Amino acid sequence: MNKRNVSLLLFAATMALTARAEYPLSYEASLSVGAGSGDFAPYYISALKGGRFSSSSNVRAEASVWREMESDRRFSYGFGLDLIGGYASSVDYGRYSAADEAWHQHAMRPSSAWIQQLYGEVKYRSVFLTAGMKEHKSALLNQNLTSGDLVESGNARPIPQVRAGFIDFQDIPFTNGWVQIQGEVAYGKMMDNDWWSDHYNYYNSFLGQDTWYNYKRCYFRTRPSEPLSVTVGMQAAGEFGGHATFYNKGVYDRTLKHSSSLKTFLKMLIPRNDGGDGFYTGNHLGSWDFKARYRLKSGHELSGYFSWPFEDGSGIGKQNGWDGLWGIEYKAPVKGIVSGAVIEYLDFTNQSGPIHFNPNDFPDTTVADHTSGADDYYNNGTYNSYAYYGMSIGTPALMAPIYNLDGYNRYVGNAMRGFHIGVEGSLSGSVDYRVKGGYRKAWGSGYIMLPDAIHLTSVMAEVTWRPASVKGLTVNASVGLDRGDMPANAFGTLVTVKYDGLFKL
């Protein structure tokens, strides 16, 4: 081999090694400034933002770096780090002092800095494993336009957890690709003890601490390449472990400890009777989900979907009337004045009430095989309500505990009806818009009805500008308006300047 061939071979090997060693890392940095009236940010400015914004005034800086898993490789890995810091206005909450038998106000504000995401993940073929805090959005709904998923909506901060499942929908053997399956299972630990203890009123109800989290999902889908494709399945989540400290008019009552043994972890995966008064271990909730999508020859898509919530057998058996989320979605094949739209109806008023019936209590009854139960969506008698750092893990349409200025840590308006609309599109090649609006009215809960119904009308308009002259730069501005008492009137704006790019190390 002559010197010229040796040089070419060395050059080719060097280029191959250089290309192989190239290591892409995505990064993003942003600054958000928001201001408004009242205590809290307008509903649509706050909702589905991963718990980033709740107060009316905010100055937040956020920086993140991450590596995506490579879908074209059998084995791949990824990781991410997302940091947030800044200032947010305070909100006054009520707290009872047993020492002087009086109520006092104390100011609380979100943390000045926190880790939003920190995770690592691996994939082999079609199966993944993720450990840490990673944001999870709805697996069924259009995240940009929906009012929110009933089980995991992306409304609250991510919970530290270990999650495993299929990376995407996978063909089921022997169906020739006509039926696909996707599923995930997660166990996590809620790290918001300080938030609950700081916001709790120490007067009534109870304070839950050291709670564990469980999530599972299984969806089936028909072939998506066909004009008509149907997705159906179930989501289920739960809280377990930890302990609850009860107070009665400001006086300590008792502490109830929950098991977090290996046996309890297994019971959360496949719920079983624990043999005691608790009936089933943990606080369980979930939804039956369905979506049918039809693609026209022109490429336009129309979808109809629903999510039916459940907390016990009556909900699983669809005995709670029209309770759930019902929606219609339109999606255009290309960007235009209207690229997508949704219309949704929400109803949570048919959950069973607090009156229980047990045939053993009434020997002469003609019904001998039925014991009724009571639903109280997102609430539980011995676990914290279904919220993380006070914000709903499920749909934000139900007013979460963070909005209870009296320090009561329950959902007070989960018997609710409402509707929601969302529209998005492009005004030009570099300017997009999004509009959301809706109305909600709540009467309290099945256990405690409010003296007067509460309601809220909310609208938001948002514009996003991506200047072609500066690649990676995005400027987003939104304005929101709330009118009502769920929790209160509010007007506010939020402006975010963001820059993202790709490192090639």
Side-chain angles (χ1 to χ4, degrees):
M1 182 179 294
N2 57 40
K3 292 183 178 180
R4 181 174 179 274
N5 290 338
V6 172
S7 299
L8 288 173
L9 181 60
L10 290 174
F11 176 76
T14 302
M15 292 300 294
L17 288 173
T18 303
R20 190 69 175 177
E22 192 174 86
Y23 196 81
L25 285 177
S26 300
Y27 67 89
E28 183 177 284
S30 65
L31 177 66
S32 299
V33 178
S37 62
D39 292 319
F40 299 103
Y43 169 66
Y44 282 117
I45 287 181
S46 176
L48 304 181
K49 298 288 180 63
R52 287 172 171 80
F53 306 104
S54 60
S55 299
S56 59
S57 298
N58 300 272
V59 179
R60 294 289 189 195
E62 183 170 358
S64 57
V65 59
W66 69 96
R67 183 185 191 274
E68 298 280 2
M69 291 191 295
E70 299 168 287
S71 59
D72 58 343
R73 293 180 179 272
R74 282 192 177 185
F75 175 82
S76 183
Y77 70 93
F79 55 82
L81 173 64
D82 188 354
L83 305 175
I84 297 178
Y87 162 85
S89 56
S90 64
V91 178
D92 290 334
Y93 289 87
R95 177 177 292 173
Y96 185 78
S97 172
D100 52 12
E101 298 182 345
W103 286 84
H104 303 279
Q105 296 290 316
H106 67 290
M108 295 301 303
R109 70 176 76 243
S111 302
S112 58
W114 70 85
I115 300 174
Q116 179 73 5
Q117 298 185 84
L118 175 60
Y119 64 89
E121 54 189 355
V122 295
K123 164 186 98 68
Y124 181 72
R125 292 182 179 269
S126 59
V127 178
F128 76 90
L129 174 68
T130 301
M133 296 179 294
K134 184 179 182 181
E135 293 183 349
H136 297 283
K137 301 176 182 179
S138 174
L140 184 77
L141 310 176
N142 183 331
Q143 189 72 17
N144 284 337
L145 298 178
T146 182
S147 62
D149 194 282
L150 300 189
V151 182
E152 277 197 342
S153 67
N155 183 65
R157 297 187 194 179
I159 298 171
Q161 60 190 263
V162 175
R163 180 173 296 226
F166 294 119
I167 198 74
D168 198 353
F169 280 91
Q170 305 297 321
D171 292 343
I172 296 179
F174 310 112
T175 66
N176 197 28
W178 277 100
V179 184
Q180 301 176 327
I181 186 173
Q182 198 277 331
E184 298 180 9
V185 176
Y187 285 95
K189 185 67 180 294
M190 293 185 173
M191 307 298 289
D192 57 350
N193 281 354
D194 290 344
W195 190 95
W196 289 105
S197 60
D198 289 340
H199 290 74
Y200 177 50
N201 61 24
Y202 292 89
Y203 181 77
N204 56 4
S205 189
F206 60 89
L207 174 65
Q209 300 277 269
D210 300 327
T211 307
W212 289 85
Y213 175 74
N214 171 248
Y215 175 81
K216 42 199 173 287
R217 177 177 75 239
C218 184
Y219 282 169
F220 295 94
R221 184 178 70 179
T222 62
R223 180 178 286 174
S225 59
E226 297 296 318
L228 176 64
S229 180
V230 175
T231 301
V232 63
M234 174 189 280
Q235 297 182 87
E239 300 167 297
F240 67 103
H243 61 274
T245 304
F246 289 78
Y247 291 82
N248 183 11
K249 295 182 179 180
V251 178
Y252 167 80
D253 185 18
R254 69 189 190 279
T255 297
L256 177 64
K257 294 184 178 181
H258 300 293
S259 171
S260 57
S261 65
L262 177 60
K263 187 176 181 180
T264 303
F265 274 71
L266 296 176
K267 285 183 178 180
M268 292 302 296
L269 185 63
I270 304 176
R272 291 182 296 165
N273 192 319
D274 65 3
D277 295 336
F279 190 51
Y280 283 96
T281 299
N283 170 33
H284 296 267
L285 59 96
S287 66
W288 286 107
D289 298 336
F290 173 89
K291 185 174 185 177
R293 187 267 304 148
Y294 185 76
R295 184 188 303 112
L296 303 175
K297 291 182 178 180
S298 59
H300 298 268
E301 294 182 359
L302 294 175
S303 301
Y305 53 88
F306 62 72
S307 288
W308 295 338
F310 64 80
E311 291 199 336
D312 57 21
S314 64
I316 292 176
K318 198 61 184 79
Q319 296 178 356
N320 290 352
W322 286 88
D323 277 7
L325 168 70
W326 307 77
I328 300 174
E329 179 184 358
Y330 162 75
K331 183 179 180 181
V334 295
K335 276 190 173 185
I337 295 298
V338 177
S339 301
V342 301
I343 300 175
E344 295 177 343
Y345 170 71
L346 300 99
D347 196 336
F348 302 96
T349 60
N350 296 286
Q351 50 188 303
S352 54
I355 298 176
H356 291 253
F357 172 79
N358 191 329
N360 294 326
D361 296 334
F362 303 94
D364 295 331
T365 181
T366 58
V367 179
D369 60 353
H370 177 73
T371 301
S372 66
D375 294 322
D376 191 8
Y377 295 148
Y378 292 2
N379 287 332
N380 187 266
T382 58
Y383 291 92
N384 280 338
S385 54
Y386 193 57
Y388 191 56
Y389 284 94
M391 302 192 73
S392 176
I393 302 172
T395 176
L398 297 179
M399 193 172 72
I402 193 173
Y403 299 108
N404 298 336
L405 297 181
D406 60 358
Y408 187 60
N409 55 6
R410 310 280 91 189
Y411 284 80
V412 298
N414 59 17
M416 185 272 291
R417 286 178 181 165
F419 72 88
H420 161 87
I421 60 172
V423 181
E424 66 180 355
S426 298
L427 302 176
S428 69
S430 60
V431 179
D432 299 332
Y433 77 90
R434 183 171 58 155
V435 177
K436 285 186 172 185
Y439 174 78
R440 296 172 291 148
K441 185 175 183 179
W443 291 265
S445 70
Y447 285 86
I448 305 175
M449 299 303 291
L450 297 171
D452 298 297
I454 55 177
H455 65 94
L456 191 71
T457 301
S458 303
V459 293
M460 182 200 73
E462 178 184 85
V463 175
T464 302
W465 176 46
R466 298 178 179 85
S469 58
V470 185
K471 186 178 180 181
L473 178 65
T474 301
V475 180
N476 177 278
S478 57
V479 56
L481 177 68
D482 292 351
R483 282 295 176 265
D485 50 6
M486 193 178 170
N489 292 341
F491 173 80
T493 61
L494 181 69
V495 177
T496 299
V497 179
K498 181 176 66 177
Y499 187 83
D500 60 65
L502 187 68
F503 286 123
K504 291 187 178 181
L505 305 180

